[in-house]
Amino acid sequence: MTPRKKTTVAVVYNHSGDDVYEKIREVDPDSLGFKPEYSINVATVTEEYEAIANALSEQGYKVQLVNINEDVQNLIDLLSQNPPDVVFNLIEYYRDDPALEHLVAGLFSIYGVRFTGSGPFTLALCQRKGMTKQLLLANNVPTPRYKLLNEPKIAGRHGLHYPMIVKPSREDASSGVEKESVVYNFEQLTERIKKTFEEYNPPILVEEFIEGRELHISVLGNDPPEVLPIIEFDFSELSDDHPKIISYDAKWNPLEESFHRVHALCPAKLTKRLEKKVKAAALEAYKVTGCTDYARLDIRIREDKKVFVLEVNPNPDLTEGVSFMDSAEHFGLSFGETLAKIVECAMSRPAPSVPVLQKTQEQTENGKDNTISPEEIK
Ligand SMILES: Nc1ncnc2c1ncn2[C@@H]1O[C@H](COP(=O)(O)OP(=O)(O)O)[C@@H](O)[C@H]1O
Ligand SMILES: [Mg+2]
């Protein structure tokens, strides 16, 4: 694939304030009390986005890196005054709220600018785990049995089997997923529900816990979407008091031991039959949720080989060497080539069209718009 050299790409992200990983760099790894397997020198948000912009420049695109800095006006200025051919959308939240992510993406369409990744509808849908699960089930894509709670109460006869996991339904990136999230009896369940309600907005999801293997399945492209080599997580080194899950600490906190004890293996060793089954579930989940360009599906395989989709991640993390990018590398695509493929996916769609507002003859003659002044109302 030859990148269209003249294509202008705005790599757009949203970040303000300090970056926790800068502080972590000051920590002495010998003071941790355990032997870290991985470096605690994790890339900051800004470094990650700079790496994406640089890699796209190396691919031949004309790139600008834009931080909207928690102010949507900065994005409006870009889109209205200096629109790129395509926005590489790396926005994950607005005013610290992931539920507003899709509204920012809506602006690209309003201004008729192409953008990478999924559209606002899919971003909003997948932000709501309960609704996504209903859609998956309606399309025969298995997902763990669950209850969605709007208040911190659950009947003793809830009909679900232990163990279970309690998690926020409108967060991502393992927020609110801790070792105590997995519960084995009613007392632990009610306690965890109470705590999760104290810290997160409802609804809260209570799900049957799938004991077994965990896979991250990355999907790239549209016509047709392609499954990249699958990642499996090795939990065998986790301490006995940590359930075999990717908790928030295991995913993000290099100061915690669990971060160093969960290992990603790629490609996952699966029988042909099982691989076919998980790929089919991943592609169906990608399709029915309306994902475009790229996404990552989090999947578990139970001991009886039944496959469950835990969640759908449109616009997943693109850190070099991690998760989606790890799979892409095993597929034979470099970091830059993968980013270029995503840009070309967006470029191959028609630009969002914005209907021109037709003024009435009277409005045109009077040079007036549709606003009514308070005097006119009186
Ligand atoms: N029903 C479940 N059974 C087993 N593990 C689960 C289940 N739900 C979540 N987990 C664990 O918690 C992690 C985070 O949950 P997930 O649903 O992927 O939410 P998110 O990544 O958006 O926070 C998963 O990667 C998995 O390790
Ligand atoms: Mg997940």
Side-chain angles (χ1 to χ4, degrees):
M1 178 197 44
T2 330
R4 302 171 201 183
K5 306 270 181 211
K6 295 242 158 52
T7 304
T8 54
V9 182
V11 174
V12 175
Y13 69 103
N14 180 24
H15 179 68
S16 76
D18 295 337
D19 193 304
V20 64
Y21 291 128
E22 256 166 43
K23 297 247 155 29
I24 288 180
R25 282 177 191 173
E26 292 157 18
V27 175
D28 171 8
D30 291 335
S31 69
L32 292 174
F34 59 86
K35 198 169 164 295
E37 166 95 19
Y38 303 107
S39 168
I40 63 169
N41 196 340
V42 176
T44 62
V45 172
T46 314
E47 287 166 348
E48 258 180 44
Y49 297 150
E50 279 169 359
I52 289 175
N54 290 337
L56 282 169
S57 297
E58 281 165 21
Q59 291 291 313
Y61 296 102
K62 278 182 76 184
V63 181
Q64 57 171 326
L65 184 61
V66 180
N67 178 7
I68 72 166
N69 205 0
E70 291 291 18
D71 186 350
V72 84
Q73 190 59 48
N74 291 327
L75 181 60
I76 291 173
D77 291 346
L78 172 80
L79 298 174
S80 57
Q81 293 162 23
N82 185 21
D85 293 321
V86 57
V87 165
F88 203 108
N89 180 20
L90 297 173
I91 289 171
E92 294 182 62
Y93 52 82
Y94 188 64
R95 299 284 156 95
D96 240 359
D97 185 354
L100 299 182
E101 172 195 21
H102 71 285
L103 297 178
V104 181
L107 282 173
F108 308 138
S109 300
I110 297 268
Y111 283 89
V113 177
R114 288 185 179 88
F115 57 97
T116 60
S118 290
F121 178 78
T122 296
L123 296 176
L125 169 70
C126 296
Q127 196 67 49
R128 293 168 176 236
K129 289 199 169 74
M131 210 176 265
T132 304
K133 285 166 75 71
Q134 286 177 29
L135 184 67
L136 293 176
L137 290 171
N139 286 280
N140 297 319
V141 180
T143 180
R145 295 177 66 227
Y146 69 105
K147 290 231 173 305
L148 207 53
L149 306 182
N150 284 307
E151 39 180 21
K153 270 195 277 180
I154 188 162
R157 289 184 176 199
H158 45 66
L160 299 176
H161 294 114
Y162 292 101
M164 289 188 249
I165 183 163
V166 181
K167 56 187 183 182
S169 75
R170 295 194 189 172
E171 293 285 332
D172 51 24
S174 285
S175 292
V177 178
E178 300 171 332
K179 48 185 189 196
E180 297 79 12
S181 303
V182 182
V183 296
Y184 299 86
N185 55 51
F186 191 65
E187 192 187 336
Q188 288 175 352
L189 172 66
T190 47
E191 205 172 291
R192 191 63 199 178
I193 288 172
K194 189 166 161 267
K195 182 156 193 298
T196 312
F197 267 92
E198 279 162 11
E199 291 172 13
Y200 293 92
N201 288 326
I204 299 299
L205 198 54
V206 177
E207 239 177 46
E208 286 188 355
F209 183 73
I210 308 301
E211 276 167 297
R213 303 168 72 178
E214 179 158 341
L215 309 176
H216 278 186
I217 305 195
S218 294
V219 177
L220 175 62
N222 301 311
D223 315 308
E226 198 155 8
V227 177
L228 303 179
I230 296 169
I231 293 180
E232 171 160 16
F233 289 89
D234 172 6
F235 298 112
S236 61
E237 286 185 13
L238 273 174
S239 61
D240 289 344
D241 71 335
H242 195 297
K244 296 187 180 343
I245 59 168
I246 310 176
S247 59
Y248 183 86
D249 284 340
K251 195 180 262 177
W252 301 113
N253 189 353
L255 302 182
E256 283 291 326
E257 186 165 10
S258 55
F259 180 91
H260 303 273
R261 301 292 173 260
V262 176
H263 311 292
L265 310 171
C266 189
K269 288 200 178 70
L270 299 167
T271 60
K272 281 266 164 304
R273 206 168 152 196
L274 205 48
E275 184 172 333
K276 209 169 146 202
K277 208 156 127 181
V278 292
K279 280 186 171 178
L283 284 172
E284 189 64 7
Y286 186 88
K287 199 176 91 193
V288 300
T289 52
C291 287
T292 40
D293 302 351
Y294 67 115
R296 197 193 75 226
L297 297 301
D298 296 350
I299 285 189
R300 281 218 162 201
I301 308 173
R302 206 166 58 186
E303 271 135 22
D304 61 3
K305 307 263 190 304
K306 190 159 182 232
V307 168
F308 294 87
V309 174
L310 298 185
E311 64 152 350
V312 181
N313 298 291
N315 298 6
D317 180 28
L318 292 177
T319 307
E320 187 167 9
V322 179
S323 204
F324 188 92
M325 283 298 182
D326 188 14
S327 290
E329 217 169 288
H330 279 86
F331 187 67
L333 289 171
S334 71
F335 182 53
E337 285 166 346
T338 311
L339 296 168
K341 270 208 175 261
I342 294 172
V343 167
E344 293 308 317
C345 281
M347 287 302 292
S348 66
R349 274 191 290 279
S353 67
V354 188
V356 177
L357 198 60
Q358 297 293 333
K359 289 186 174 178
T360 61
Q361 201 178 353
E362 190 195 358
Q363 284 167 343
T364 313
E365 281 164 9
N366 299 339
K368 273 177 75 177
D369 61 16
N370 280 333
T371 32
I372 302 173
S373 67
E375 289 74 31
E376 281 175 296
I377 295 169
K378 276 180 220 151

